[in-house]
């Protein structure tokens, strides 16, 4: 509490950096009945960094003071149980009919039910609903304070024609803080670092947030990449709000480097091909009005650079595909109270807040002036989507319910959760010469979300030809490419499930899918006399296994398939013996199976017709492993967060987080598995390599995720993985050898450069890394005979990015369990440089190396990328849990060679 007593002096000290008599919107007179920052929080806008609790406190105060013009809604909770709120601000007349406005927007959103005359009638009286959303990255600070200032201005500005027009013609939804957990983390660390006065040095601790920083949420997810994956509760709740209101405009307010200025629409190329021309015209409309006000205030800005409109998983893109206008606003960051730029000028927090505030009000003004046009464009967008879906070459997509059926179910429900109409077949059906099993899902393109469906389900979403030609030109000159994010995000490939395009709608009876009502697991055959069998190969079976381990059940897993009563059970099938478990085993299974979604078969005998018996040495005991994970620098916070979230929240299994700085001396003897997330391990503790080697040899299992972790283990100083990082391959497929130094002391012999190609070859480095790749989905072939691949399909897809390619492991050192396919089959989706396509072919994705009693397992690309590569979950879980079962760590191992 002592820091609170410093607030007045700090505010005085800071005022030296601020302009005297500072006004956010100069010349505005405000209604004294609407509470100011100072009255509620004890400081003016931009003088302090507000906490999430203070943000909630201020909006509650506004709602209490002006109940006829603002209503505050709580729409969800974060992992850390902080409330997510948004405020609806409008005229008293509009606020009284909020429910009616919301219902009318839903009617307008479905032209299949609402005719054009009915739509025109609705448009005549509907305000334009817009949403201003702030700080999805918690360390982007000016956004949230600008949100509070925008709300105050709309409620308190007197005699303002602009404000009156906004209130009359729009409903402004303000989400002031999309990431309360991340902001709380940043502000807490900032306050710890505060001194006598605000420090402007970018090197000061005030500006240098400790790992993992405040950008991400509790599980270290970048939630601005999560909009179609819906992995996080904050995103799920936000999507529900958007589908409840269908805001015509969505502005997502961010921060960028403090050395920059301000960015707003229109975006840089490439544009996603499913953005319409009318939407692009509207982006120009909003950009021009922002520019007018920024010119008025003398704020520098830029457009059409850096931030493109291709990846559909941003807040500034997802709303586009239901028919809205979505934009990113990027403000230069202070990351504190004052920042000294490289040119020596001081940039303070109050000025950064003002820029976002002005952009917010300018956006609302544009929407108010263009209310009718925005409503018409929204209806036309959704009507044209239906029409296009009725005439295109692909009219339907079908998700056959086979293979990993739990992943098929999850994908279908994920689509439905985003407002897409999904139907399910209670019985099998045939279409276009193909047979589809009962439970399969169909998605018609003749619906208002057609363009969103195309984004998620089309195998390839192409970038503009001229843009790609420019990137190839830049690459040839060794200039960085201008691709901002991944170039592929195909959900069926990421889930590793089938997706069949159809040219016509299939016939038959289908039922609508309700989001969230996933199929329950079931036990076939009632109480088991000998064992419960869980066929391995679905994410639901993995979820059940982890639940059983947490209940301390005896669970075994077969390394080889078997046939019982005519049914084939795959490798990895779980065997839960009745007699080796407590008498309550039947009740326990009845409790665990339904929520898992898994299929379980009761066995009345241990006899099998083919394959291994339950007591075979090819059947291993699945331990209840203690799992540790490297945490903190130099680990990638994203990679660590994704892996932790998958284990803890997707599958319900706890992880012990150990700060990497302790791994050089930590006693790991009580742990079975250590996960090394991706990262830059060059700064790892000096004694860490020796400690890990000793622990693995004693029976531990290391699971390395991504090129950074694999490179560390492969380094000669670590010596735990026998692979090598490759340089760029030259002609013939060999990596370039280092050229010997010229003999003698004289200059090297001269060369005749007869043509341009000779010059280009002469200036190339003797050894250089492959060119860096933006994320692509690459096809991987899996070795079916290794225990690590149990239940995994013959082919999976991995997200590959960056420039690191590893050599295969030699047969006398280990096993290449999963290898990228040949050059002609490698690229599943996205844009990949030709040289990388050739060199990545037949290189390892997963390698396993034995080290005495333990194992080292390396994923050369992170299988948990952004938490949405569900098709790789089984490989990752096999590495962790089957790796522990096949190693000789605490509790012993079950592998045949260990029994000898």
């Amino acid at each position: 509490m002592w820091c609170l007593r410093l607030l007045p002096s700090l505010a005085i000290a800071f005022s030296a950096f601020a302009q005297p008599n500072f006004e956010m919107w100069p010349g505005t007179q405000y209604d004294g009945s609407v509470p100011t920052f100072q009255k509620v929080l004890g400081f003016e806008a931009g003088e302090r960094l507000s906490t999430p609790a203070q943000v909630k406190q201020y909006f509650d105060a506004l709602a209490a003071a002006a109940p006829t013009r603002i209503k505050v809604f709580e729409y969800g909770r974060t992992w850390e149980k902080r409330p997510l709120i948004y405020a609806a601000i409008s005229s008293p007349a509009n606020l009284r009919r909020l429910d009616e406005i919301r219902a009318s927007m839903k009617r307008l959103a479905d032209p299949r039910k609402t005719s054009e005359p009915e739509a025109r009638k609705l448009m005549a009286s509907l305000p334009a609903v817009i949403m201003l959303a702030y700080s999805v990255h918690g360390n982007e600070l000016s956004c949230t304070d600008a949100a509070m200032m925008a709300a105050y201005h709309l409620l308190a500005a007197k005699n303002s024609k602009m404000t009156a027009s906004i209130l009359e013609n729009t409903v402004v939804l303000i989400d002031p803080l999309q990431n309360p957990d991340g902001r709380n983390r940043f502000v807490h660390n900032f306050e710890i670092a505060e001194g006598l006065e605000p420090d402007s040095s970018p090197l000061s601790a005030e500006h240098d947030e400790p790992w993992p920083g405040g950008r991400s949420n509790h599980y270290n997810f970048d939630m601005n990449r999560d909009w179609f994956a819906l992995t996080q509760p904050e995103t799920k709740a936000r999507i529900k709000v958007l589908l409840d209101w269908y805001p015509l405009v969505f502005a997502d307010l961010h921060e960028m480097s403090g050395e920059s200025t301000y960015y707003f629409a229109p975006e840089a190329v490439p544009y996603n091909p499913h953005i319409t021309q009318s939407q692009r015209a509207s982006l120009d409309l909003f950009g021009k009005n922002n520019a007018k006000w920024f010119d008025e205030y003398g704020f520098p800005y830029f457009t059409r650079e850096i931030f493109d409109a291709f990846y559909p998983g941003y807040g500034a893109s997802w709303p586009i595909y239901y028919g809205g206008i979505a934009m990113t606003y990027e403000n230069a960051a202070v990351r504190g109270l004052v920042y000294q730029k490289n040119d020596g000028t001081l940039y303070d927090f109050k000025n950064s807040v003002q820029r976002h505030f002005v952009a917010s009000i300018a956006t609302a003004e544009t929407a108010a002036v263009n209310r009718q046009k925005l409503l018409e464009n929204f209806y036309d967008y959704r009507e044209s989507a239906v029409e296009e879906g009725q005439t295109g070459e692909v009219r339907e997509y079908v998700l056959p319910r086979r293979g990993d059926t739990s992943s098929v179910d999850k994908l279908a429900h994920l689509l439905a959760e985003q407002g897409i109409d999904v139907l399910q077949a209670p019985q099998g059906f045939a279409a276009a010469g193909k047979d589809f099993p009962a439970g399969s899902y169909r998605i018609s393109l003749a619906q208002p979300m057609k363009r969103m469906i195309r984004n998620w389900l089309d195998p390839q979403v192409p970038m503009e030809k001229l843009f790609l030609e420019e990137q190839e030109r830049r690459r040839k000159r060794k200039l960085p490419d201008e691709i901002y994010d991944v170039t592929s995000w195909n959900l069926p490939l990421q889930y590793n499930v089938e997706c069949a395009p159809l040219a016509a709608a299939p016939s038959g009876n289908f039922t609508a899918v309700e989001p969230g009502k996933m199929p329950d697991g079931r036990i076939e055959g009632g109480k088991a006399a000998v064992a419960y069998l869980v066929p391995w190969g679905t994410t639901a079976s993995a979820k059940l296994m982890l639940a059983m381990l947490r209940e301390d059940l005896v669970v075994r897993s077969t390394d080889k398939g078997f046939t019982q009563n005519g049914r084939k059970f795959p490798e990895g099938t779980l065997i839960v013996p009745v007699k080796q478990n407590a008498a309550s085993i039947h009740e326990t299974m009845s409790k665990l199976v339904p929520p898992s979604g898994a299929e379980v078969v009761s066995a009345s005998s241990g006899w099998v017709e083919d394959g291994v018996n339950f007591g075979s040495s090819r059947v291993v005991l699945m331990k209840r492993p203690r799992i540790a994970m490297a945490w903190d620098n130099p680990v990638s916070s994203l990679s660590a967060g994704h892996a932790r979230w998958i284990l803890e929240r997707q599958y319900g299994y706890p992880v012990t987080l150990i700060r990497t700085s302790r791994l050089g001396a930590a006693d790991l003897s009580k742990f079975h598995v250590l996960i090394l997330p991706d990262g830059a391990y060059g700064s790892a503790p000096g004694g860490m390599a020796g400690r890990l080697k000793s622990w693995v040899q004693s029976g531990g299992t290391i699971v390395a995720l991504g090129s950074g972790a694999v490179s560390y283990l492969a380094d000669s100083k670590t010596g735990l993985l026998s692979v090598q990082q490759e340089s760029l391959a030259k002609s013939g497929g060999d990596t370039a050898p280092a050229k010997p130094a010229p003999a003698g002391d004289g200059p090297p012999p001269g060369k005749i450069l007869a043509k341009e190609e000779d010059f280009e070859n002469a200036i190339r480095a003797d050894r250089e890394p492959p060119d860096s790749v933006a994320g692509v989905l690459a096809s991987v072939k899996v070795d079916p005979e290794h225990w690590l691949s149990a239940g995994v399909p013959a082919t999976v897809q991995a997200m590959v990015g960056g420039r690191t390619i590893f050599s295969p492991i030699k047969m006398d050192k280990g096993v290449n369990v999963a290898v990228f396919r040949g050059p002609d089959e490698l690229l599943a989706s996205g844009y990949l440089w030709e040289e990388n396509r050739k060199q990545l072919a037949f290189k390892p994705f997963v390698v396993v190396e034995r080290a005495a009693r333990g194992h080292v397992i390396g994923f050369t690309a992170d299988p948990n990328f952004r938490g949405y590569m569900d098709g790789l979950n089984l490989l990752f879980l096999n590495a962790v849990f089957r790796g522990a079962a096949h190693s000789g760590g605490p509790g012993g191992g079950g592998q045949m060679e260990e029994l000898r």
Side-chain angles (χ1 to χ4, degrees):
M1 296 296 292
W2 62 269
C3 63
L4 297 178
R5 290 194 290 270
L6 295 178
L7 293 183
S9 61
L10 284 168
I12 293 171
F14 173 61
S15 66
F17 297 104
Q19 301 173 14
N21 302 318
F22 187 93
E23 294 181 281
M24 287 285 176
W25 197 283
T28 305
Q29 295 182 341
Y30 291 105
D31 183 349
S33 66
V34 179
T36 63
F37 276 67
Q38 181 69 49
K39 183 176 181 180
V40 178
L41 304 179
F43 55 87
E44 296 294 347
E47 282 188 349
R48 297 292 302 163
L49 307 184
S50 57
T51 66
Q54 289 173 323
V55 175
K56 176 70 163 55
Q57 179 186 358
Y58 188 64
F59 273 92
D60 286 344
L62 292 178
T68 62
R69 287 170 291 152
I70 178 174
K71 187 173 182 179
V72 176
F73 301 85
E74 179 179 318
Y75 67 91
R77 291 269 167 164
T78 69
W79 288 118
E80 297 175 13
K81 307 303 180 186
R82 290 187 175 86
L84 297 164
I85 64 168
Y86 71 90
I89 299 175
S90 194
S91 67
N94 286 335
L95 210 67
R96 282 194 298 270
R97 61 185 190 112
L98 277 185
D99 290 342
E100 176 194 329
I101 292 169
R102 203 160 33 205
S104 295
M105 282 304 301
K106 289 177 180 176
R107 289 176 59 195
L108 199 65
D110 197 344
R112 297 168 300 180
K113 299 178 181 178
T114 304
S115 66
E116 185 170 343
E118 292 174 312
R120 297 288 176 188
K121 187 176 180 180
L122 287 172
M123 293 176 202
S125 61
L126 268 178
V129 179
I130 71 170
M131 177 166 261
L132 307 176
Y134 303 79
S135 294
V136 73
H137 298 138
N139 62 355
E140 297 178 357
L141 305 167
S142 62
C143 319
T144 291
D145 294 79
M148 294 192 285
M149 186 62 210
Y152 171 74
H153 182 84
L154 290 173
L155 295 171
K158 296 195 300 185
N159 303 321
S160 168
K161 291 183 179 179
M162 179 200 295
T163 301
S165 173
I166 292 171
L167 295 177
E168 180 181 352
N169 291 292
T170 73
V171 173
V172 181
L173 307 179
I174 292 180
D175 185 340
L177 181 51
Q178 300 179 75
N179 184 1
D181 293 352
R183 186 181 180 94
N184 193 73
R185 190 159 60 239
F186 182 95
V187 173
H188 173 70
N189 288 316
F190 170 82
E191 290 178 343
I192 289 173
E194 276 190 297
L196 178 64
E197 63 182 26
D199 196 324
S200 64
S201 170
L203 297 176
S204 70
E206 292 180 19
H207 300 276
D208 187 12
E209 51 187 319
W211 191 99
R215 177 181 176 88
S216 54
N217 74 342
H218 175 82
Y219 272 96
N220 296 348
F221 272 68
D222 182 338
M223 293 192 294
N224 198 39
R225 304 297 189 275
D226 190 50
W227 280 75
F228 66 84
L230 306 191
T231 68
Q232 301 304 291
E234 298 95 331
T235 315
K236 284 177 171 285
R238 198 162 296 122
I239 291 292
K240 288 181 180 178
V241 172
L242 266 68
L243 293 177
D244 199 29
W245 284 97
Y246 288 104
L248 304 174
V249 179
F250 186 93
D252 202 21
L253 288 87
H254 291 258
E255 285 186 343
M256 54 186 167
S257 166
E259 299 301 325
S260 193
T261 58
Y262 197 100
Y263 163 86
F264 47 73
E267 287 81 1
V269 293
Y271 274 76
N272 189 290
H274 300 298
I275 298 175
T276 65
Q277 288 301 315
S278 67
Q279 287 174 315
R280 294 184 66 164
S282 292
L283 292 172
D284 283 349
L285 194 67
F286 281 89
K288 288 177 181 178
N289 196 49
N290 289 345
K292 180 192 78 173
W293 285 106
F294 272 54
D295 289 343
E296 174 78 16
Y297 287 110
F299 299 155
Y301 58 89
F302 67 96
T303 64
R304 301 182 182 87
E305 296 180 57
I306 304 175
F307 306 104
D308 66 40
F310 186 63
Y311 179 69
Y314 305 128
S317 54
W318 189 92
I320 285 176
Y321 305 109
Y322 70 63
I325 305 301
M327 301 169 287
T328 288
Y329 295 170
E330 296 275 353
N331 191 11
V334 175
R335 293 290 196 275
L337 294 177
V338 62
Y339 176 84
Q340 185 174 28
K341 292 175 177 277
N342 287 337
D343 62 8
T345 59
L346 293 177
Y347 178 49
D348 64 39
F349 185 51
K350 183 170 284 190
N351 278 279
S352 72
V353 171
Q354 185 187 25
R355 282 156 174 74
H356 263 333
F357 161 65
V358 170
S360 301
I361 300 303
T363 300
E365 179 191 32
T366 306
V369 171
N370 295 279
R371 179 195 69 83
Q372 184 73 22
K373 179 181 178 63
L374 292 170
L375 286 164
E376 290 173 355
N377 286 351
F378 174 73
Y379 181 82
D380 291 346
Y381 176 98
R382 295 178 71 85
E383 185 178 45
S384 65
V386 175
E387 293 170 354
E388 289 176 10
Q390 294 169 335
T391 58
E393 290 184 10
V394 176
R395 309 282 180 90
E396 299 261 340
Y397 276 112
V398 174
L399 303 176
R401 195 174 188 272
R402 55 188 169 222
D404 184 351
T405 53
S406 49
S407 286
V408 177
D409 293 335
K410 181 180 176 182
L411 176 53
H413 283 256
L414 174 66
L415 297 174
E417 197 171 355
Q418 297 182 69
I420 294 169
D421 294 339
V422 180
L423 301 176
Q424 187 172 23
Q427 297 177 335
F429 65 96
K434 301 175 183 178
D435 292 323
F436 299 102
S440 295
Y441 301 92
R442 52 173 286 218
I443 302 100
S444 169
L445 291 179
Q447 59 174 294
M449 289 292 206
K450 174 253 182 183
R451 297 180 181 97
M452 183 177 285
I453 297 167
R454 291 286 306 273
N455 256 306
W456 304 162
L457 300 185
D458 279 6
Q460 185 82 348
V461 178
M463 287 187 280
E464 298 163 30
K465 182 181 178 182
L466 290 178
F467 174 79
L468 291 177
E469 290 174 353
E470 171 62 10
Q471 304 321 299
E472 293 289 359
R473 183 195 70 80
R474 293 178 63 86
R475 190 167 68 93
K476 188 175 181 180
R477 298 200 60 200
K478 293 300 176 186
L479 297 172
D481 69 66
E482 298 167 314
I483 302 173
Y484 191 73
D485 209 277
V486 299
T487 62
S488 177
W489 47 83
N490 177 268
L491 284 170
L493 290 174
Q494 289 173 188
Y495 278 58
N496 215 55
V497 301
E498 294 179 65
C499 183
L502 300 180
S507 58
N509 295 319
F510 298 87
T511 58
V513 171
E514 292 186 46
K517 292 190 176 182
M518 294 276 286
D520 285 341
R522 60 188 180 86
I523 300 175
E524 181 183 319
K527 285 186 178 182
V530 173
Y532 290 98
L533 306 180
V534 185
W536 194 243
T538 67
T539 53
S541 62
K543 186 176 181 181
L544 177 59
M545 181 186 75
L546 272 57
M548 292 190 297
L549 293 180
R550 293 198 70 188
E551 291 283 342
D552 287 322
L553 299 187
V554 175
V555 181
R556 300 185 184 277
S557 176
T558 174
D559 284 346
K560 190 175 180 181
F562 61 90
T563 302
Q564 187 181 66
N565 297 327
R567 174 169 179 165
K568 293 183 177 181
F569 290 84
E571 296 86 353
T573 291
L574 305 176
I575 302 167
V576 186
V578 171
K579 299 298 184 183
Q580 295 176 34
N581 279 288
S584 59
I585 180 63
H586 308 294
E587 291 76 16
T588 302
M589 293 298 289
S590 296
K591 177 185 71 173
L592 298 180
V593 171
S596 74
E599 178 190 13
V600 179
V601 179
S602 296
S604 59
S605 170
W607 179 257
V608 300
E609 295 101 66
D610 184 46
V612 297
N613 290 97
F614 300 170
S616 168
S617 60
R618 300 295 299 273
V619 175
V620 296
L621 175 68
M622 299 303 292
K623 305 167 185 173
R624 179 181 178 175
R626 290 198 63 187
I627 302 170
M629 181 186 295
W631 196 251
D632 213 332
N633 283 320
V635 165
S636 160
S637 62
L638 295 175
S639 178
H642 299 158
R644 181 190 178 195
W645 174 81
I646 284 173
L647 287 168
E648 291 191 345
R649 299 299 177 172
Q650 284 276 76
Y651 294 97
Y653 202 89
V655 180
T656 298
L657 309 177
I658 301 177
R659 299 204 184 276
T660 313
S661 60
R662 300 198 61 187
L663 287 177
D667 177 9
L668 298 176
S669 63
K670 298 295 189 290
F671 293 94
H672 302 81
V673 179
L674 173 66
I675 297 172
L676 293 182
D678 207 356
Y681 284 86
S683 60
M688 179 170 153
R691 177 73 62 166
L692 296 187
K693 183 175 292 187
S694 174
W695 175 75
V696 169
Q697 291 173 343
S698 298
T701 298
I702 291 178
V703 180
L705 307 176
S707 60
V710 171
S711 294
Y712 170 71
L713 297 177
D715 188 277
S716 59
K717 297 177 183 178
T718 308
L720 278 168
L721 265 184
S722 301
V723 296
Q724 291 182 318
Q725 188 172 327
E726 296 184 348
S727 59
L728 179 66
K730 305 297 182 180
S731 60
D734 297 325
T735 54
K739 289 189 176 181
D745 297 326
K751 291 183 178 180
I752 301 297
L753 305 180
K755 52 185 181 296
E756 185 78 18
E757 183 180 355
D758 294 338
F759 169 73
E760 291 173 355
N761 289 331
I763 64 176
R764 292 185 68 175
D766 294 333
R767 295 181 74 93
E768 56 184 329
D771 288 330
S772 185
V773 173
V776 302
L777 287 169
S779 188
V780 175
K781 183 180 179 180
V782 178
D783 179 354
E785 298 189 271
H786 196 275
W787 52 259
L788 181 52
S789 66
V792 178
T795 302
V796 296
Q797 321 302 324
M799 183 67 75
V800 177
R803 61 176 75 248
T804 309
I805 299 174
F806 290 93
S807 63
I809 197 168
K810 300 291 186 182
M811 291 180 70
D812 61 330
K813 298 294 185 181
V815 180
N816 299 286
V817 177
V819 176
F820 292 105
R821 297 178 75 186
D824 296 333
E825 303 170 304
L826 172 68
L827 183 61
S829 181
Y831 189 80
L832 181 63
W833 313 127
E834 182 66 9
E835 295 86 347
N836 295 70
R837 182 181 67 84
K838 293 178 179 178
Q839 187 170 345
L840 188 60
F842 303 115
K843 300 299 166 58
F845 172 55
V846 184
V847 295
V848 179
E849 184 166 346
R850 185 85 182 184
R853 299 179 67 217
H855 287 96
V856 179
I857 302 171
F859 288 81
T860 61
D862 194 336
N864 305 318
F865 181 78
R866 292 182 180 170
Y868 58 38
M869 296 298 297
D870 283 54
L872 296 177
N873 282 181
L874 275 184
L875 258 181
F876 172 56
L877 295 172
N878 280 351
V880 174
F881 292 93
R882 303 196 96 239
H886 285 79
S887 293
Q895 198 171 22
M896 187 164 60
E897 63 189 12
E898 290 161 353
L899 296 177
R900 293 199 188 102

